[in-house]
């Protein structure tokens, strides 16, 4: 008799994931990100890289302004 339930196998009984993690760890920690295709296949940069670059510029400008202020006051 066939199983009438549309349920699949328990994640504990499936094959192990990449990197040696268990199936449940991958599912709950990162949503199985290593099992999906790479989301950005274009030549564009990731948003995180742009934010990191902008923050480093902002920090450099802030440090320069504080240095100029310290020299001006002193």
């Amino acid at each position: 008799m066939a199983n009438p339930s549309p349920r699949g196998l328990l994640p504990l009984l499936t094959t192990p994931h990449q990197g040696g993690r268990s199936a449940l760890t991958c599912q709950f920690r990162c949503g199985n990100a290593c099992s999906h295709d790479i989301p950005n296949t274009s030549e564009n940069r990731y948003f995180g890289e742009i934010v990191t670059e902008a923050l480093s510029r902002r920090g450099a400008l802030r440090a320069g302004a504080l240095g100029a202020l310290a020299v001006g006051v002193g």
Side-chain angles (χ1 to χ4, degrees):
M1 180 170 167
N3 187 2
S5 175
R7 297 180 194 176
L9 293 175
L10 291 175
L12 297 173
L13 301 177
T14 59
T15 58
H17 287 274
Q18 298 173 354
R21 287 185 172 174
S22 72
L24 288 176
T25 302
C26 282
Q27 180 180 358
F28 292 121
R29 281 243 164 150
C30 64
N32 291 326
C34 58
S35 299
H36 299 111
D37 293 334
I38 299 172
N40 186 7
T41 57
S42 68
E43 295 297 321
N44 298 334
R45 297 186 306 173
Y46 285 99
F47 182 72
E49 293 173 359
I50 296 169
V51 168
T52 303
E53 183 179 323
L55 288 177
S56 63
R57 271 193 220 146
R58 188 176 296 158
L61 288 174
R62 184 178 299 138
L66 289 174
L69 181 66
V71 169
V73 169

